[in-house]
Amino acid sequence: MGLEGRETAGQPRVTLLPTPNGSGLSQEFESHWPEIPERSPCVAGVIPVIYYSVLLGLGLPVSLLTAVALGRLATRTRKPSYYYLLALTASDIIIQVVIVFAGFLLQGALLARQVPQVVVRMANILEFAANHASVWIAILLTVDRYTALCHPLHHRAASSPGRTRRAIAAVLSAALLTGIPFYWWLDVWRDADSPSTLDEVLKWAHCLTVYFIPCGVFLVTNSAIIHRLRRRGQSGLQPRVGKSTAILLGITTLFTLLWAPRVFVMLYHMYVAPVHRDWRVHLALDVANMVAMLNTAVNFGLYCFVSKTFRATVRQVIHDAYLPCTLASQPEGMAAKPVIEPPGLPRGAEV
């Protein structure tokens, strides 16, 4: 994501941002700042730091719990949809660690951007690779649900856990490779008045690969799925929406809504008003980044709302984690006694 805004997230005073060659800002450039000396260009202040701290503190444990529950369901049922959801959750965990923690909080708030440039550029590769993996795995899930509903015979013949894992591995490899060009990504805070051709190409590539093209795929496939369900209803069959389909529609809708502000502000920055010359655009990008990162933590609530099986698995995971702690805290000689079932009692009757 380039981690725009993280270097000024916790600084209440005016700070001159360095240009790419390390020199200070010229007098002509400084004259374009809003003449509000008592305010920093980052008018959000410490709010982003607090927001990302809460998001990481709550979102990361929830994502880990989601991954464990989905791992159990994938092992138990061997359904492709659970493997895709597990890979999607793993990508969200990487985003939370690499972008939210290492980028916004550690590098931006704690170290105040005092990080070697090569480290920042290497981090860019991981950040964009994680974003690409998350979005493209959602595309795999979309195609899988489309095939299952619109071409069920082909889906049954072609679907297998091995093929699903190979598809996920291919997407993860492609995401890492496509993240390499973003080594040369230039944060919007350091853009010149006229961005270079390379910088403009990278920003357009970012918008296309993580938003416009995926949203086009989501629109086409989801429309086909909804049309198929409507045709079933018109033919007298029950247009039942399965849990996997409902989760798919929820994931793609949330992604489209939560990422739209960031893409819009990015294009506005390139062609209308640069972030570093208008505090309102600066604030808009701060808010847009916070909204986009929320996408990594909302899927757990969606899964719990839609799937009773997922809720039961989550309860079982929590119970399995809590039980050893309970047994360990009991005094010696107070260990739980095994339940004995006499031969004459039916199965499940306990004494």
Side-chain angles (χ1 to χ4, degrees):
M1 289 185 57
L3 306 183
E4 295 85 355
R6 63 193 178 196
E7 66 272 22
T8 58
Q11 301 177 9
R13 58 188 179 86
V14 176
T15 302
L16 296 181
L17 297 177
T19 57
N21 61 6
S23 61
L25 299 176
S26 65
Q27 294 295 327
E28 178 183 0
F29 186 79
E30 289 182 50
S31 64
H32 290 88
W33 283 107
E35 296 186 5
I36 310 177
E38 68 275 7
R39 285 188 179 181
S40 165
C42 181
V43 296
V46 298
I47 293 178
V49 177
I50 298 174
Y51 173 83
Y52 290 123
S53 300
V54 174
L55 181 65
L56 185 67
L58 297 179
L60 186 57
V62 165
S63 296
L64 292 174
L65 176 61
T66 304
V68 174
L70 290 174
R72 289 192 178 187
L73 289 173
T75 304
R76 185 189 311 162
T77 64
R78 301 176 66 84
K79 289 184 177 180
S81 57
Y82 285 127
Y83 286 101
Y84 292 133
L85 292 176
L86 177 60
L88 179 62
T89 303
S91 299
D92 289 340
I93 292 173
I94 296 174
I95 290 175
Q96 290 170 345
V97 173
V98 174
I99 296 181
V100 177
F101 173 70
F104 285 115
L105 295 177
L106 182 60
Q107 181 184 336
L110 297 180
L111 301 180
R113 296 286 289 176
Q114 301 301 316
V115 181
Q117 188 66 18
V118 65
V119 176
V120 176
R121 292 184 179 275
M122 292 300 295
N124 284 344
I125 297 177
L126 296 178
E127 294 157 13
F128 283 97
N131 277 327
H132 294 172
S134 178
V135 178
W136 296 350
I137 288 172
I139 292 178
L140 286 182
L141 176 63
T142 304
V143 174
D144 176 76
R145 287 297 86 205
Y146 167 78
T147 307
L149 286 174
C150 299
H151 307 282
L153 296 179
H154 175 73
H155 181 267
R156 292 171 187 170
S159 178
S160 68
R163 180 169 296 185
T164 302
R165 287 192 291 266
R166 288 193 295 270
I168 293 174
V171 165
L172 295 179
S173 301
L176 184 59
L177 290 176
T178 55
I180 294 176
F182 292 92
Y183 176 88
W184 293 274
W185 173 272
L186 186 65
D187 286 351
V188 297
W189 316 103
R190 299 179 177 181
D191 278 351
D193 285 350
S194 299
S196 65
T197 302
L198 175 61
D199 189 50
E200 192 169 351
V201 168
L202 288 177
K203 285 181 169 57
W204 266 110
H206 172 63
C207 294
L208 288 172
T209 55
V210 303
Y211 192 76
F212 289 118
I213 293 177
C215 285
V217 175
F218 297 154
L219 177 63
V220 172
T221 53
N222 289 349
S223 299
I225 290 173
I226 294 173
H227 178 68
R228 179 77 171 184
L229 294 174
R230 286 181 176 177
R231 285 183 56 186
R232 286 184 180 180
Q234 293 175 355
S235 61
L237 299 176
Q238 183 69 20
R240 179 176 173 271
V241 179
K243 296 181 177 65
S244 298
T245 303
I247 288 175
L248 166 66
L249 296 177
I251 289 175
T252 54
T253 301
L254 287 172
F255 169 80
T256 303
L257 295 177
L258 294 177
W259 269 78
R262 171 179 164 79
V263 174
F264 173 78
V265 176
M266 182 72 65
L267 298 177
Y268 189 89
H269 157 79
M270 282 198 296
Y271 297 109
V272 181
V275 169
H276 54 224
R277 295 175 62 176
D278 191 335
W279 67 268
R280 291 165 296 187
V281 184
H282 189 148
L283 177 62
L285 188 56
D286 280 338
V287 175
N289 284 336
M290 290 190 289
V291 172
M293 287 297 96
L294 184 62
N295 186 65
T296 63
V298 297
N299 288 340
F300 175 81
L302 174 65
Y303 303 158
C304 289
F305 178 76
V306 172
S307 175
K308 183 178 179 180
T309 303
F310 180 80
R311 293 195 301 270
T313 306
V314 168
R315 286 195 297 267
Q316 185 63 40
V317 170
I318 297 175
H319 177 267
D320 292 346
Y322 174 75
L323 185 59
C325 299
T326 303
L327 295 178
S329 63
Q330 291 181 353
E332 295 184 4
M334 299 266 312
K337 297 180 179 180
V339 176
I340 302 177
E341 296 184 10
L345 293 178
R347 181 178 181 85
E350 301 175 355
V351 178

